[in-house]
Every structure is written in structure tokens, then in C-alpha cells.
Amino acid sequence: MRLAILKILALTACIWLVSCSEKPGEQHAEFFVFGTLMEVTTWGADKQLSRKAFARLHAQFQDMHRDWHAWEPGLLTEINDAFAAGQAVTANPAILELTRRSQEIEEQSGGRFNPAIGGLVRLWGFHTSDYPIEGPPPGKAAIEDLLKQNPSSLDVRIHGQEMSTRNRSVQLDFGGIAKGYATDLAIDTLDQMGISNAIVNAGGDLRAVGRHGDRPWRVAIRDPAGGIIGVVESREDEAIFTSGNYERYRQENNQRYPHILDPRTGWPVEEISSVTVITNEGLLADAAATALIVAGLSEWQDVAYSLNLDKVLLIDENGRVYLTAEMNKRIGFSGKVDKKIIETL
Ligand code: AMP
Ligand code: MG
């Protein structure tokens, strides 16, 4: 049902859907970007100013959608085509920034976050908005073949606005980081326009600044089993991102193959149902949540430490919750939860 609605929205891609003041003090607009409903809410801002900001954000989101999309033809597909052909290509500042930050996070996460595995993502059929995908996984030989070529964002060289790589298997896919960076850029735009109380919510992943009047912004954290597992009250400027293995997957008979891949094996990651990260940057929160799903139960603490995170929540396949002491201070659970608090990372 939700997908059907999203498909209808996709037909009106990036059309400004709603802009109305729903509650006193609030202005709200919705956009459809990257297969996700993007909601922007301001609090306490002048109505005219909010409308102007929403129009500006609309244009920005359209540019992002066109330039960053991993499979709809645009700047990123041009860049990937150039890489495959061994040619240098001119990027733009946002893609250069996404690439540079990806390189840092790929390194810090020991390759668990790797946005150069677009070839693998495509091989698995995950270049679609239409989930679940039915059918068997790709052949082992095709996966091995891609793995041997070892694509990495660190293979990308940047000279001014130009990017190039000697590794022709590099195919950039910013699916694990784009929403995060989009929320950062949107918050920057709002800030430049003098709007300091706002929330930019990309399908449940968000960055929030300021407050909702006399109270903080309240953010619900989804339970992979359905419903909400808890609520976080955001502090002045925070990004709260969740990566899940429960919504986007391929399935064959009763076997599910979720959309987050371990770049080291080429296979989807199981074991963890969802990871939530709170930090002060959308881009990092988004990429880190993806990386920590890949890290799994045995490695997430090391990877979180190396990414400098202190607020992390993991839910494993059996519904058991693992969380850092700092996250435990921040989340109010909705019901009784079987949790294990990790005191030090
Ligand atoms: P997210 O929902 O933020 O965890 O992002 C998942 C998306 O990131 C997938 O649909 C792929 O486009 C991409 N992706 C999958 N596995 C990885 C990975 N290990 N590192 C970076 N991006 C990935
Ligand atoms: Mg992510």
C-alpha cells in the first residue's frame, strides 16, 4: 500500500505536494525525492519566509534527485559511465563532497561502508524503488567477479572539479549517505534564511535544529517488528538516522536478501534488523548506520568507536536491543524492552 502511494508520488516526482500550517506555529511542506517522502517542518518562522524557504528547498531537492541518483540518468550515471570507460569527468561541488566524506568514512569503517559498490548493488537488483524484489540471488561467479575488482571510493582521484579512477569497476552509489547529506544541505539553507527551528525528515531519518516552541522536537524510533520502539527528544542540533534490513529486500521462497551488502563478501547482511545513530551531522549518521549494520554484533562497537560515535542503538534479528550508555540516556522506550547497555566503546 505504502509502495503504491509512493509510486503515484513518483509519477509526480519532486512536485511540491503540500504546504500548509497544520498546527499553531508550524509550517510544513512535503517533497518526493530519492524514492522518499521528504518533510520539512519549521516552527515559529514567519509564514512568508517559510514558503520562500520551501520553494528554495524544492529546487535544491530537484537538483539533488537529478544529480545524485544511482540509476536514473543524470550527473552520477554520467560519472559512473566515464569511470567504466576509464575517462576523467567533471563533477559538481556536492558530488565532490559526498565522495570526499565517503572516502573518510569508508576508511574509518574498515570498508564496511563503501559507496563504490554500485555494480554489486545493481547486480543484486537493488537499483529500484519497487520492493520487495522476487527471485533468486545473482550467480556466485558474477559476485566473485565484481569482488575481485575490489571497487573502493578511495580509488577515486579528485583534481579540482574533475574525478577519475584507474579502477573501472568503481560505480558510485550514494544510497547509503544521500539522504543524510540532503538533510544537512537543507538545514544549511534554512539557517542561511534565518530559520533556526526546523526538522528535515527524509522518511523517518532526520536532522532537527532548535526547538518546537517551549519543548524539544520529539522523534519516534521505528521498531523493525512494527510500530515504534521509543522516542528521542532532540537537543539543539542533531541528526537521527536508522538503517534497517526489514523493508527493502529480495526474496525467494522464504529466504530474504536485504538491500545492505557486505562489500567484503558481496552478500546481503543479516543478523541486525536495524541500527539508529544520533550525531550532529546527517551525512555521518546516515553512512554510519549503514556501516554498523554491516559490522554486525561482533564488530559494531569497534566501528562506532572508530567513527567517533557515542549514541548507537542496534536491534538484532531476534528483537534484542543493544545500546550505548549515551543512547540509553536519550531514548524513552515505549514498552518493556529486552536491552543490553554497552558502557564503553
Ligand atoms: P541505508 O538505507 O542508508 O542503509 O542505505 C542503503 C543503500 O546504500 C542501499 O540501497 C545501497 O544503495 C547502498 N549500500 C548497500 N550496501 C552498502 C554498503 N555496504 N556501503 C555503502 N552503501 C551501501
Ligand atoms: Mg545510510
Side-chain angles (χ1 to χ4, degrees), residues 241-276:
F241 275 70
T242 300
S243 264
N245 254 343
Y246 50 95
E247 245 177 22
R248 299 183 175 207
Y249 49 84
R250 165 182 287 284
Q251 62 185 5
E252 189 198 28
N253 305 323
N254 279 332
Q255 177 70 36
R256 280 187 183 184
Y257 303 95
H259 72 138
I260 297 174
L261 302 172
D262 186 333
R264 300 160 302 175
T265 65
W267 283 76
V269 191
E270 288 161 77
E271 189 176 64
I272 306 290
S273 282
S274 82
V275 171
T276 301

PDB file of all heavy atoms in Angstrom, residues 241-276:
ATOM      1  N   PHE A 241      19.359   8.913  12.470  1.00  0.00           N
ATOM      2  CA  PHE A 241      19.179   8.077  11.271  1.00  0.00           C
ATOM      3  C   PHE A 241      19.106   6.600  11.640  1.00  0.00           C
ATOM      4  O   PHE A 241      19.854   6.132  12.495  1.00  0.00           O
ATOM      5  CB  PHE A 241      20.345   8.295  10.286  1.00  0.00           C
ATOM      6  CG  PHE A 241      20.106   9.479   9.387  1.00  0.00           C
ATOM      7  CD1 PHE A 241      20.140  10.765   9.884  1.00  0.00           C
ATOM      8  CD2 PHE A 241      19.805   9.292   8.043  1.00  0.00           C
ATOM      9  CE1 PHE A 241      19.889  11.861   9.063  1.00  0.00           C
ATOM     10  CE2 PHE A 241      19.559  10.374   7.215  1.00  0.00           C
ATOM     11  CZ  PHE A 241      19.598  11.655   7.719  1.00  0.00           C
ATOM     12  N   THR A 242      18.210   5.905  10.965  1.00  0.00           N
ATOM     13  CA  THR A 242      18.064   4.469  11.174  1.00  0.00           C
ATOM     14  C   THR A 242      18.245   3.744   9.849  1.00  0.00           C
ATOM     15  O   THR A 242      17.665   4.140   8.846  1.00  0.00           O
ATOM     16  CB  THR A 242      16.660   4.151  11.744  1.00  0.00           C
ATOM     17  OG1 THR A 242      16.519   4.833  12.999  1.00  0.00           O
ATOM     18  CG2 THR A 242      16.467   2.660  11.963  1.00  0.00           C
ATOM     19  N   SER A 243      19.070   2.697   9.865  1.00  0.00           N
ATOM     20  CA  SER A 243      19.168   1.815   8.702  1.00  0.00           C
ATOM     21  C   SER A 243      18.512   0.520   9.081  1.00  0.00           C
ATOM     22  O   SER A 243      18.751  -0.003  10.171  1.00  0.00           O
ATOM     23  CB  SER A 243      20.632   1.513   8.377  1.00  0.00           C
ATOM     24  OG  SER A 243      21.086   2.371   7.389  1.00  0.00           O
ATOM     25  N   GLY A 244      17.716  -0.006   8.160  1.00  0.00           N
ATOM     26  CA  GLY A 244      17.019  -1.246   8.506  1.00  0.00           C
ATOM     27  C   GLY A 244      17.166  -2.276   7.418  1.00  0.00           C
ATOM     28  O   GLY A 244      17.382  -1.961   6.251  1.00  0.00           O
ATOM     29  N   ASN A 245      17.042  -3.507   7.833  1.00  0.00           N
ATOM     30  CA  ASN A 245      17.129  -4.621   6.892  1.00  0.00           C
ATOM     31  C   ASN A 245      15.766  -5.208   6.620  1.00  0.00           C
ATOM     32  O   ASN A 245      15.657  -6.262   6.016  1.00  0.00           O
ATOM     33  CB  ASN A 245      18.037  -5.717   7.490  1.00  0.00           C
ATOM     34  CG  ASN A 245      19.373  -5.725   6.798  1.00  0.00           C
ATOM     35  OD1 ASN A 245      19.504  -5.169   5.718  1.00  0.00           O
ATOM     36  ND2 ASN A 245      20.340  -6.379   7.394  1.00  0.00           N
ATOM     37  N   TYR A 246      14.712  -4.533   7.094  1.00  0.00           N
ATOM     38  CA  TYR A 246      13.406  -5.175   7.121  1.00  0.00           C
ATOM     39  C   TYR A 246      12.453  -4.698   6.039  1.00  0.00           C
ATOM     40  O   TYR A 246      11.385  -5.258   5.858  1.00  0.00           O
ATOM     41  CB  TYR A 246      12.770  -4.978   8.510  1.00  0.00           C
ATOM     42  CG  TYR A 246      12.795  -3.546   8.996  1.00  0.00           C
ATOM     43  CD1 TYR A 246      11.721  -2.704   8.805  1.00  0.00           C
ATOM     44  CD2 TYR A 246      13.936  -3.036   9.627  1.00  0.00           C
ATOM     45  CE1 TYR A 246      11.750  -1.387   9.228  1.00  0.00           C
ATOM     46  CE2 TYR A 246      13.984  -1.714  10.041  1.00  0.00           C
ATOM     47  CZ  TYR A 246      12.893  -0.902   9.839  1.00  0.00           C
ATOM     48  OH  TYR A 246      12.938   0.407  10.241  1.00  0.00           O
ATOM     49  N   GLU A 247      12.822  -3.628   5.295  1.00  0.00           N
ATOM     50  CA  GLU A 247      11.858  -3.061   4.352  1.00  0.00           C
ATOM     51  C   GLU A 247      12.233  -3.300   2.899  1.00  0.00           C
ATOM     52  O   GLU A 247      11.376  -3.546   2.067  1.00  0.00           O
ATOM     53  CB  GLU A 247      11.771  -1.550   4.586  1.00  0.00           C
ATOM     54  CG  GLU A 247      10.414  -1.152   5.072  1.00  0.00           C
ATOM     55  CD  GLU A 247      10.335   0.331   5.369  1.00  0.00           C
ATOM     56  OE1 GLU A 247      11.147   1.113   4.845  1.00  0.00           O
ATOM     57  OE2 GLU A 247       9.454   0.691   6.145  1.00  0.00           O
ATOM     58  N   ARG A 248      13.510  -3.199   2.607  1.00  0.00           N
ATOM     59  CA  ARG A 248      13.943  -3.316   1.219  1.00  0.00           C
ATOM     60  C   ARG A 248      14.759  -4.590   1.096  1.00  0.00           C
ATOM     61  O   ARG A 248      15.842  -4.691   1.667  1.00  0.00           O
ATOM     62  CB  ARG A 248      14.797  -2.098   0.835  1.00  0.00           C
ATOM     63  CG  ARG A 248      13.993  -0.824   0.957  1.00  0.00           C
ATOM     64  CD  ARG A 248      14.736   0.400   0.537  1.00  0.00           C
ATOM     65  NE  ARG A 248      13.799   1.520   0.593  1.00  0.00           N
ATOM     66  CZ  ARG A 248      13.880   2.607  -0.144  1.00  0.00           C
ATOM     67  NH1 ARG A 248      14.864   2.753  -0.981  1.00  0.00           N
ATOM     68  NH2 ARG A 248      12.972   3.549  -0.042  1.00  0.00           N
ATOM     69  N   TYR A 249      14.227  -5.538   0.341  1.00  0.00           N
ATOM     70  CA  TYR A 249      14.938  -6.817   0.202  1.00  0.00           C
ATOM     71  C   TYR A 249      14.463  -7.547  -1.043  1.00  0.00           C
ATOM     72  O   TYR A 249      13.441  -7.209  -1.652  1.00  0.00           O
ATOM     73  CB  TYR A 249      14.723  -7.705   1.447  1.00  0.00           C
ATOM     74  CG  TYR A 249      13.276  -7.845   1.865  1.00  0.00           C
ATOM     75  CD1 TYR A 249      12.455  -8.785   1.278  1.00  0.00           C
ATOM     76  CD2 TYR A 249      12.728  -7.013   2.851  1.00  0.00           C
ATOM     77  CE1 TYR A 249      11.126  -8.908   1.647  1.00  0.00           C
ATOM     78  CE2 TYR A 249      11.397  -7.121   3.231  1.00  0.00           C
ATOM     79  CZ  TYR A 249      10.612  -8.074   2.625  1.00  0.00           C
ATOM     80  OH  TYR A 249       9.291  -8.169   2.975  1.00  0.00           O
ATOM     81  N   ARG A 250      15.266  -8.569  -1.410  1.00  0.00           N
ATOM     82  CA  ARG A 250      14.884  -9.529  -2.440  1.00  0.00           C
ATOM     83  C   ARG A 250      14.380 -10.769  -1.696  1.00  0.00           C
ATOM     84  O   ARG A 250      14.852 -11.061  -0.592  1.00  0.00           O
ATOM     85  CB  ARG A 250      16.145  -9.856  -3.258  1.00  0.00           C
ATOM     86  CG  ARG A 250      16.056 -11.076  -4.147  1.00  0.00           C
ATOM     87  CD  ARG A 250      17.389 -11.295  -4.854  1.00  0.00           C
ATOM     88  NE  ARG A 250      17.589 -10.304  -5.892  1.00  0.00           N
ATOM     89  CZ  ARG A 250      16.973 -10.319  -7.087  1.00  0.00           C
ATOM     90  NH1 ARG A 250      16.134 -11.298  -7.391  1.00  0.00           N
ATOM     91  NH2 ARG A 250      17.210  -9.381  -7.959  1.00  0.00           N
ATOM     92  N   GLN A 251      13.438 -11.480  -2.266  1.00  0.00           N
ATOM     93  CA  GLN A 251      13.018 -12.718  -1.602  1.00  0.00           C
ATOM     94  C   GLN A 251      12.797 -13.837  -2.601  1.00  0.00           C
ATOM     95  O   GLN A 251      12.376 -13.620  -3.729  1.00  0.00           O
ATOM     96  CB  GLN A 251      11.773 -12.503  -0.749  1.00  0.00           C
ATOM     97  CG  GLN A 251      10.541 -12.063  -1.509  1.00  0.00           C
ATOM     98  CD  GLN A 251       9.379 -11.759  -0.573  1.00  0.00           C
ATOM     99  OE1 GLN A 251       9.504 -11.790   0.651  1.00  0.00           O
ATOM    100  NE2 GLN A 251       8.228 -11.461  -1.153  1.00  0.00           N
ATOM    101  N   GLU A 252      13.149 -15.038  -2.140  1.00  0.00           N
ATOM    102  CA  GLU A 252      12.898 -16.229  -2.943  1.00  0.00           C
ATOM    103  C   GLU A 252      12.462 -17.311  -1.974  1.00  0.00           C
ATOM    104  O   GLU A 252      13.149 -17.583  -0.993  1.00  0.00           O
ATOM    105  CB  GLU A 252      14.165 -16.667  -3.672  1.00  0.00           C
ATOM    106  CG  GLU A 252      13.887 -17.765  -4.670  1.00  0.00           C
ATOM    107  CD  GLU A 252      15.138 -18.511  -5.086  1.00  0.00           C
ATOM    108  OE1 GLU A 252      16.106 -18.594  -4.290  1.00  0.00           O
ATOM    109  OE2 GLU A 252      15.132 -19.024  -6.205  1.00  0.00           O
ATOM    110  N   ASN A 253      11.330 -17.933  -2.230  1.00  0.00           N
ATOM    111  CA  ASN A 253      10.704 -18.852  -1.285  1.00  0.00           C
ATOM    112  C   ASN A 253      10.605 -18.134   0.062  1.00  0.00           C
ATOM    113  O   ASN A 253      10.092 -17.056   0.130  1.00  0.00           O
ATOM    114  CB  ASN A 253      11.464 -20.180  -1.223  1.00  0.00           C
ATOM    115  CG  ASN A 253      11.581 -20.777  -2.627  1.00  0.00           C
ATOM    116  OD1 ASN A 253      10.649 -20.662  -3.423  1.00  0.00           O
ATOM    117  ND2 ASN A 253      12.708 -21.366  -2.929  1.00  0.00           N
ATOM    118  N   ASN A 254      11.187 -18.677   1.113  1.00  0.00           N
ATOM    119  CA  ASN A 254      11.073 -17.945   2.377  1.00  0.00           C
ATOM    120  C   ASN A 254      12.349 -17.208   2.758  1.00  0.00           C
ATOM    121  O   ASN A 254      12.459 -16.680   3.848  1.00  0.00           O
ATOM    122  CB  ASN A 254      10.644 -18.883   3.506  1.00  0.00           C
ATOM    123  CG  ASN A 254       9.134 -19.090   3.465  1.00  0.00           C
ATOM    124  OD1 ASN A 254       8.408 -18.201   3.003  1.00  0.00           O
ATOM    125  ND2 ASN A 254       8.684 -20.246   3.903  1.00  0.00           N
ATOM    126  N   GLN A 255      13.291 -17.209   1.829  1.00  0.00           N
ATOM    127  CA  GLN A 255      14.592 -16.609   2.126  1.00  0.00           C
ATOM    128  C   GLN A 255      14.593 -15.133   1.718  1.00  0.00           C
ATOM    129  O   GLN A 255      14.207 -14.791   0.608  1.00  0.00           O
ATOM    130  CB  GLN A 255      15.668 -17.381   1.353  1.00  0.00           C
ATOM    131  CG  GLN A 255      17.065 -16.854   1.499  1.00  0.00           C
ATOM    132  CD  GLN A 255      17.640 -17.079   2.898  1.00  0.00           C
ATOM    133  OE1 GLN A 255      17.380 -18.103   3.530  1.00  0.00           O
ATOM    134  NE2 GLN A 255      18.393 -16.112   3.394  1.00  0.00           N
ATOM    135  N   ARG A 256      15.020 -14.268   2.642  1.00  0.00           N
ATOM    136  CA  ARG A 256      15.122 -12.839   2.329  1.00  0.00           C
ATOM    137  C   ARG A 256      16.577 -12.424   2.143  1.00  0.00           C
ATOM    138  O   ARG A 256      17.449 -12.886   2.880  1.00  0.00           O
ATOM    139  CB  ARG A 256      14.557 -12.012   3.492  1.00  0.00           C
ATOM    140  CG  ARG A 256      13.070 -11.940   3.472  1.00  0.00           C
ATOM    141  CD  ARG A 256      12.633 -10.963   4.536  1.00  0.00           C
ATOM    142  NE  ARG A 256      11.188 -10.914   4.584  1.00  0.00           N
ATOM    143  CZ  ARG A 256      10.495 -10.091   5.357  1.00  0.00           C
ATOM    144  NH1 ARG A 256      11.133  -9.246   6.154  1.00  0.00           N
ATOM    145  NH2 ARG A 256       9.182 -10.091   5.352  1.00  0.00           N
ATOM    146  N   TYR A 257      16.805 -11.543   1.203  1.00  0.00           N
ATOM    147  CA  TYR A 257      18.137 -10.983   0.962  1.00  0.00           C
ATOM    148  C   TYR A 257      18.039  -9.462   1.051  1.00  0.00           C
ATOM    149  O   TYR A 257      17.691  -8.798   0.076  1.00  0.00           O
ATOM    150  CB  TYR A 257      18.634 -11.400  -0.430  1.00  0.00           C
ATOM    151  CG  TYR A 257      18.686 -12.897  -0.642  1.00  0.00           C
ATOM    152  CD1 TYR A 257      17.621 -13.568  -1.244  1.00  0.00           C
ATOM    153  CD2 TYR A 257      19.789 -13.641  -0.241  1.00  0.00           C
ATOM    154  CE1 TYR A 257      17.654 -14.939  -1.444  1.00  0.00           C
ATOM    155  CE2 TYR A 257      19.839 -15.012  -0.437  1.00  0.00           C
ATOM    156  CZ  TYR A 257      18.762 -15.656  -1.038  1.00  0.00           C
ATOM    157  OH  TYR A 257      18.804 -17.012  -1.233  1.00  0.00           O
ATOM    158  N   PRO A 258      18.341  -8.899   2.226  1.00  0.00           N
ATOM    159  CA  PRO A 258      18.172  -7.444   2.414  1.00  0.00           C
ATOM    160  C   PRO A 258      19.130  -6.608   1.565  1.00  0.00           C
ATOM    161  O   PRO A 258      20.145  -7.119   1.088  1.00  0.00           O
ATOM    162  CB  PRO A 258      18.445  -7.247   3.898  1.00  0.00           C
ATOM    163  CG  PRO A 258      18.434  -8.600   4.501  1.00  0.00           C
ATOM    164  CD  PRO A 258      18.788  -9.563   3.442  1.00  0.00           C
ATOM    165  N   HIS A 259      18.810  -5.323   1.427  1.00  0.00           N
ATOM    166  CA  HIS A 259      19.486  -4.459   0.445  1.00  0.00           C
ATOM    167  C   HIS A 259      20.825  -3.904   0.888  1.00  0.00           C
ATOM    168  O   HIS A 259      21.515  -3.263   0.106  1.00  0.00           O
ATOM    169  CB  HIS A 259      18.569  -3.297   0.067  1.00  0.00           C
ATOM    170  CG  HIS A 259      18.413  -2.270   1.156  1.00  0.00           C
ATOM    171  ND1 HIS A 259      18.421  -0.918   0.926  1.00  0.00           N
ATOM    172  CD2 HIS A 259      18.268  -2.411   2.498  1.00  0.00           C
ATOM    173  CE1 HIS A 259      18.280  -0.270   2.064  1.00  0.00           C
ATOM    174  NE2 HIS A 259      18.168  -1.150   3.030  1.00  0.00           N
ATOM    175  N   ILE A 260      21.212  -4.113   2.144  1.00  0.00           N
ATOM    176  CA  ILE A 260      22.540  -3.641   2.562  1.00  0.00           C
ATOM    177  C   ILE A 260      23.529  -4.790   2.370  1.00  0.00           C
ATOM    178  O   ILE A 260      23.317  -5.893   2.881  1.00  0.00           O
ATOM    179  CB  ILE A 260      22.518  -3.127   4.007  1.00  0.00           C
ATOM    180  CG1 ILE A 260      21.571  -1.915   4.086  1.00  0.00           C
ATOM    181  CG2 ILE A 260      23.930  -2.740   4.450  1.00  0.00           C
ATOM    182  CD1 ILE A 260      21.333  -1.394   5.469  1.00  0.00           C
ATOM    183  N   LEU A 261      24.581  -4.516   1.601  1.00  0.00           N
ATOM    184  CA  LEU A 261      25.530  -5.562   1.225  1.00  0.00           C
ATOM    185  C   LEU A 261      26.825  -5.416   2.009  1.00  0.00           C
ATOM    186  O   LEU A 261      27.263  -4.294   2.291  1.00  0.00           O
ATOM    187  CB  LEU A 261      25.846  -5.457  -0.267  1.00  0.00           C
ATOM    188  CG  LEU A 261      24.641  -5.568  -1.218  1.00  0.00           C
ATOM    189  CD1 LEU A 261      25.063  -5.247  -2.652  1.00  0.00           C
ATOM    190  CD2 LEU A 261      24.018  -6.960  -1.136  1.00  0.00           C
ATOM    191  N   ASP A 262      27.431  -6.552   2.333  1.00  0.00           N
ATOM    192  CA  ASP A 262      28.765  -6.510   2.922  1.00  0.00           C
ATOM    193  C   ASP A 262      29.758  -6.422   1.765  1.00  0.00           C
ATOM    194  O   ASP A 262      29.901  -7.383   1.005  1.00  0.00           O
ATOM    195  CB  ASP A 262      29.018  -7.768   3.760  1.00  0.00           C
ATOM    196  CG  ASP A 262      30.341  -7.674   4.502  1.00  0.00           C
ATOM    197  OD1 ASP A 262      31.255  -6.965   4.005  1.00  0.00           O
ATOM    198  OD2 ASP A 262      30.473  -8.302   5.565  1.00  0.00           O
ATOM    199  N   PRO A 263      30.432  -5.265   1.621  1.00  0.00           N
ATOM    200  CA  PRO A 263      31.319  -5.094   0.467  1.00  0.00           C
ATOM    201  C   PRO A 263      32.448  -6.125   0.434  1.00  0.00           C
ATOM    202  O   PRO A 263      33.045  -6.347  -0.604  1.00  0.00           O
ATOM    203  CB  PRO A 263      31.907  -3.692   0.661  1.00  0.00           C
ATOM    204  CG  PRO A 263      30.969  -3.001   1.595  1.00  0.00           C
ATOM    205  CD  PRO A 263      30.416  -4.075   2.486  1.00  0.00           C
ATOM    206  N   ARG A 264      32.712  -6.764   1.579  1.00  0.00           N
ATOM    207  CA  ARG A 264      33.814  -7.727   1.608  1.00  0.00           C
ATOM    208  C   ARG A 264      33.407  -9.101   1.103  1.00  0.00           C
ATOM    209  O   ARG A 264      34.227  -9.873   0.648  1.00  0.00           O
ATOM    210  CB  ARG A 264      34.380  -7.814   3.036  1.00  0.00           C
ATOM    211  CG  ARG A 264      34.900  -6.454   3.520  1.00  0.00           C
ATOM    212  CD  ARG A 264      34.993  -6.390   5.021  1.00  0.00           C
ATOM    213  NE  ARG A 264      33.700  -6.654   5.638  1.00  0.00           N
ATOM    214  CZ  ARG A 264      33.499  -6.749   6.948  1.00  0.00           C
ATOM    215  NH1 ARG A 264      34.524  -6.640   7.766  1.00  0.00           N
ATOM    216  NH2 ARG A 264      32.294  -6.973   7.431  1.00  0.00           N
ATOM    217  N   THR A 265      32.095  -9.425   1.208  1.00  0.00           N
ATOM    218  CA  THR A 265      31.635 -10.736   0.736  1.00  0.00           C
ATOM    219  C   THR A 265      30.752 -10.618  -0.504  1.00  0.00           C
ATOM    220  O   THR A 265      30.542 -11.592  -1.219  1.00  0.00           O
ATOM    221  CB  THR A 265      30.778 -11.439   1.813  1.00  0.00           C
ATOM    222  OG1 THR A 265      29.579 -10.651   2.016  1.00  0.00           O
ATOM    223  CG2 THR A 265      31.525 -11.560   3.135  1.00  0.00           C
ATOM    224  N   GLY A 266      30.190  -9.426  -0.724  1.00  0.00           N
ATOM    225  CA  GLY A 266      29.269  -9.243  -1.849  1.00  0.00           C
ATOM    226  C   GLY A 266      27.857  -9.722  -1.548  1.00  0.00           C
ATOM    227  O   GLY A 266      26.992  -9.669  -2.413  1.00  0.00           O
ATOM    228  N   TRP A 267      27.634 -10.174  -0.313  1.00  0.00           N
ATOM    229  CA  TRP A 267      26.308 -10.709   0.048  1.00  0.00           C
ATOM    230  C   TRP A 267      25.582  -9.797   1.035  1.00  0.00           C
ATOM    231  O   TRP A 267      26.222  -9.058   1.789  1.00  0.00           O
ATOM    232  CB  TRP A 267      26.458 -12.118   0.655  1.00  0.00           C
ATOM    233  CG  TRP A 267      26.713 -13.107  -0.434  1.00  0.00           C
ATOM    234  CD1 TRP A 267      27.895 -13.281  -1.106  1.00  0.00           C
ATOM    235  CD2 TRP A 267      25.766 -13.988  -1.037  1.00  0.00           C
ATOM    236  NE1 TRP A 267      27.740 -14.231  -2.088  1.00  0.00           N
ATOM    237  CE2 TRP A 267      26.439 -14.688  -2.073  1.00  0.00           C
ATOM    238  CE3 TRP A 267      24.411 -14.273  -0.823  1.00  0.00           C
ATOM    239  CZ2 TRP A 267      25.804 -15.638  -2.875  1.00  0.00           C
ATOM    240  CZ3 TRP A 267      23.784 -15.231  -1.614  1.00  0.00           C
ATOM    241  CH2 TRP A 267      24.469 -15.895  -2.624  1.00  0.00           C
ATOM    242  N   PRO A 268      24.249  -9.862   1.034  1.00  0.00           N
ATOM    243  CA  PRO A 268      23.478  -9.045   1.980  1.00  0.00           C
ATOM    244  C   PRO A 268      23.793  -9.404   3.425  1.00  0.00           C
ATOM    245  O   PRO A 268      24.182 -10.536   3.726  1.00  0.00           O
ATOM    246  CB  PRO A 268      22.029  -9.411   1.664  1.00  0.00           C
ATOM    247  CG  PRO A 268      22.054  -9.900   0.272  1.00  0.00           C
ATOM    248  CD  PRO A 268      23.369 -10.603   0.124  1.00  0.00           C
ATOM    249  N   VAL A 269      23.617  -8.437   4.279  1.00  0.00           N
ATOM    250  CA  VAL A 269      23.915  -8.635   5.685  1.00  0.00           C
ATOM    251  C   VAL A 269      22.637  -9.027   6.404  1.00  0.00           C
ATOM    252  O   VAL A 269      21.591  -8.403   6.208  1.00  0.00           O
ATOM    253  CB  VAL A 269      24.431  -7.322   6.302  1.00  0.00           C
ATOM    254  CG1 VAL A 269      24.990  -7.569   7.672  1.00  0.00           C
ATOM    255  CG2 VAL A 269      25.460  -6.684   5.414  1.00  0.00           C
ATOM    256  N   GLU A 270      22.734 -10.054   7.236  1.00  0.00           N
ATOM    257  CA  GLU A 270      21.574 -10.390   8.067  1.00  0.00           C
ATOM    258  C   GLU A 270      21.960 -10.075   9.513  1.00  0.00           C
ATOM    259  O   GLU A 270      22.697  -9.155   9.724  1.00  0.00           O
ATOM    260  CB  GLU A 270      21.192 -11.847   7.829  1.00  0.00           C
ATOM    261  CG  GLU A 270      20.546 -11.969   6.433  1.00  0.00           C
ATOM    262  CD  GLU A 270      20.529 -13.370   5.903  1.00  0.00           C
ATOM    263  OE1 GLU A 270      19.682 -14.145   6.367  1.00  0.00           O
ATOM    264  OE2 GLU A 270      21.368 -13.677   5.056  1.00  0.00           O
ATOM    265  N   GLU A 271      21.493 -10.790  10.476  1.00  0.00           N
ATOM    266  CA  GLU A 271      21.879 -10.664  11.891  1.00  0.00           C
ATOM    267  C   GLU A 271      21.322  -9.413  12.557  1.00  0.00           C
ATOM    268  O   GLU A 271      20.763  -9.490  13.640  1.00  0.00           O
ATOM    269  CB  GLU A 271      23.410 -10.699  12.029  1.00  0.00           C
ATOM    270  CG  GLU A 271      23.879 -10.802  13.460  1.00  0.00           C
ATOM    271  CD  GLU A 271      25.388 -10.931  13.589  1.00  0.00           C
ATOM    272  OE1 GLU A 271      26.108  -9.984  13.210  1.00  0.00           O
ATOM    273  OE2 GLU A 271      25.836 -11.982  14.088  1.00  0.00           O
ATOM    274  N   ILE A 272      21.481  -8.233  11.921  1.00  0.00           N
ATOM    275  CA  ILE A 272      20.990  -6.989  12.541  1.00  0.00           C
ATOM    276  C   ILE A 272      19.730  -6.526  11.802  1.00  0.00           C
ATOM    277  O   ILE A 272      19.725  -6.445  10.575  1.00  0.00           O
ATOM    278  CB  ILE A 272      22.043  -5.870  12.420  1.00  0.00           C
ATOM    279  CG1 ILE A 272      23.388  -6.310  12.969  1.00  0.00           C
ATOM    280  CG2 ILE A 272      21.566  -4.595  13.090  1.00  0.00           C
ATOM    281  CD1 ILE A 272      23.434  -6.469  14.446  1.00  0.00           C
ATOM    282  N   SER A 273      18.687  -6.208  12.543  1.00  0.00           N
ATOM    283  CA  SER A 273      17.460  -5.701  11.897  1.00  0.00           C
ATOM    284  C   SER A 273      17.511  -4.207  11.683  1.00  0.00           C
ATOM    285  O   SER A 273      17.055  -3.709  10.666  1.00  0.00           O
ATOM    286  CB  SER A 273      16.236  -6.003  12.768  1.00  0.00           C
ATOM    287  OG  SER A 273      15.885  -7.333  12.607  1.00  0.00           O
ATOM    288  N   SER A 274      18.028  -3.478  12.689  1.00  0.00           N
ATOM    289  CA  SER A 274      18.141  -2.036  12.466  1.00  0.00           C
ATOM    290  C   SER A 274      19.206  -1.424  13.374  1.00  0.00           C
ATOM    291  O   SER A 274      19.548  -1.974  14.433  1.00  0.00           O
ATOM    292  CB  SER A 274      16.795  -1.339  12.666  1.00  0.00           C
ATOM    293  OG  SER A 274      16.549  -1.097  14.013  1.00  0.00           O
ATOM    294  N   VAL A 275      19.726  -0.300  12.904  1.00  0.00           N
ATOM    295  CA  VAL A 275      20.698   0.476  13.683  1.00  0.00           C
ATOM    296  C   VAL A 275      20.256   1.926  13.643  1.00  0.00           C
ATOM    297  O   VAL A 275      19.943   2.443  12.577  1.00  0.00           O
ATOM    298  CB  VAL A 275      22.116   0.388  13.075  1.00  0.00           C
ATOM    299  CG1 VAL A 275      23.052   1.368  13.777  1.00  0.00           C
ATOM    300  CG2 VAL A 275      22.672  -1.013  13.181  1.00  0.00           C
ATOM    301  N   THR A 276      20.245   2.566  14.797  1.00  0.00           N
ATOM    302  CA  THR A 276      19.941   4.003  14.871  1.00  0.00           C
ATOM    303  C   THR A 276      21.163   4.729  15.415  1.00  0.00           C
ATOM    304  O   THR A 276      21.768   4.268  16.396  1.00  0.00           O
ATOM    305  CB  THR A 276      18.724   4.254  15.789  1.00  0.00           C
ATOM    306  OG1 THR A 276      17.615   3.541  15.264  1.00  0.00           O
ATOM    307  CG2 THR A 276      18.386   5.741  15.875  1.00  0.00           C
TER     308      THR A 276
END
